[in-house]
Amino acid sequence: MSATTKTPTVPEGRTVSQASAVTRLLGDRRLPVLVTVTLFLAMYITGLSRYQNYGFGEPQVFLNLFIDNGYLLVAAVGVTFVIMSGGIDLSVGSVIGFTTMFTAWLVERQGLPLLLVVPIALGVGAFGGFLMGYVIHNFEIQPFIVTLAGLFLFRGLCLVISKESISISDSTVSDLAQTRVSLGLGELSIGAVVALVVLAAAFYILHYTRFGRRVYAIGGNEQSALLMGLPLGGTKIAVYTMSGFCSALAGLLFMLYIQSGDPLHAVGMELDAIAAVVIGGTLLTGGSGYVVGTVFGVLVLGLIKSIIQFEGTLSSWWTKIATGVLLCAFILIQRTMTARKQT
């Protein structure tokens, strides 16, 4: 009796080696990040060629991407950990808005020094994330529902504090907001420097610690991680606690950026953070992605805004349109990759 073997089918006009190369490329988890980096470079080169007479090529224009989006980068780093673990956090924007209101209220209305308010605000944000993670794990409720409740809760607390905007006239806040760190070719704000420090810490935690490996394992296959004896509950709660902390820190940086608190601040910013993470190459299903990709996701969104500003004739709504198109494109890339892995 002879055994029959099946040869792999190859589309007409394509060799077996070409097909295998495409399969390897689509199966490479680094592909979305490479696409994002390529997209950023292509957009930046286009901006250089189109707006070179308007100062687009100045180093400070590039550094402004970090200055204007430092708070979003911090928030997106926290969301990266959540999505990497297979979850979602819709409370990010509300926590940012609450932090601006809470900080402004304590500094302006209660007269507390900023150095005392900062750890209080960070503690409240981290505690909120801890509670959401605790409920998600112990009551086995979908993260979408729990964090949606957190969204309404923190936005409601903003209105409880005040229905009107609170301007901050504290000299410490003004000094920090105006402080610049010289890099020779340009300057960075304190918020941008803090964002880069958070990025470096997140990169180390995610790629060089046991906690980071647990996040990848839980996001990849939760049941397998449980059978391996990994602390599923503790890791999940820690991930949401980290996201709450990053959201509160992003709120403090946003407060420095605008020097006020408002109950409508950061409405929808959780969607910007999620979009940056997805465009940066992190799979929505979890278990795959890089925090470096998140940086480029934020830079792509910031570059879109910059190009629209340099163009001068386009509405700011084109930012949302471009973000939506990119988000759909990267979701299709993710779908193609996951489909290849399943076959």
Side-chain angles (χ1 to χ4, degrees), residues 24-56:
R24 287 197 302 270
L25 179 63
L26 291 175
D28 193 338
R29 58 189 297 180
R30 296 169 296 182
L31 176 62
V33 179
L34 295 176
V35 172
T36 306
V37 174
T38 303
L39 175 63
F40 174 77
L41 293 176
M43 290 173 59
Y44 193 77
I45 292 172
T46 302
L48 286 175
S49 62
R50 185 174 177 83
Y51 311 111
Q52 59 180 345
N53 295 329
Y54 299 94
F56 190 89

Side-chain angles (χ1 to χ4, degrees), residues 200-256:
F203 181 84
Y204 176 79
I205 292 172
L206 193 58
H207 299 292
Y208 295 99
T209 66
R210 290 183 179 178
F211 176 76
R213 290 190 287 272
R214 291 170 187 168
V215 172
Y216 274 110
I218 291 173
N221 192 314
E222 188 171 307
Q223 292 301 320
S224 295
L226 185 63
L227 292 174
M228 291 168 61
L230 298 180
L232 189 64
T235 304
K236 274 190 175 183
I237 294 173
V239 162
Y240 283 94
T241 302
M242 183 179 297
S243 180
F245 177 86
C246 287
S247 298
L249 180 56
L252 291 172
L253 299 183
F254 192 57
M255 180 271 300
L256 286 179

Side-chain angles (χ1 to χ4, degrees), residues 313-332:
T313 59
L314 297 176
S315 169
S316 60
W317 286 107
W318 280 100
T319 303
K320 300 297 182 182
I321 295 172
T323 301
V325 171
L326 288 177
L327 194 56
C328 289
F330 276 87
I331 288 175
L332 289 175

Side-chain angles (χ1 to χ4, degrees), residues 7-23 26 340:
T7 59
T9 59
V10 180
E12 186 178 354
R14 183 184 295 178
T15 64
V16 175
S17 60
Q18 290 174 334
S20 61
V22 172
T23 302
L26 291 175
R340 286 282 181 175

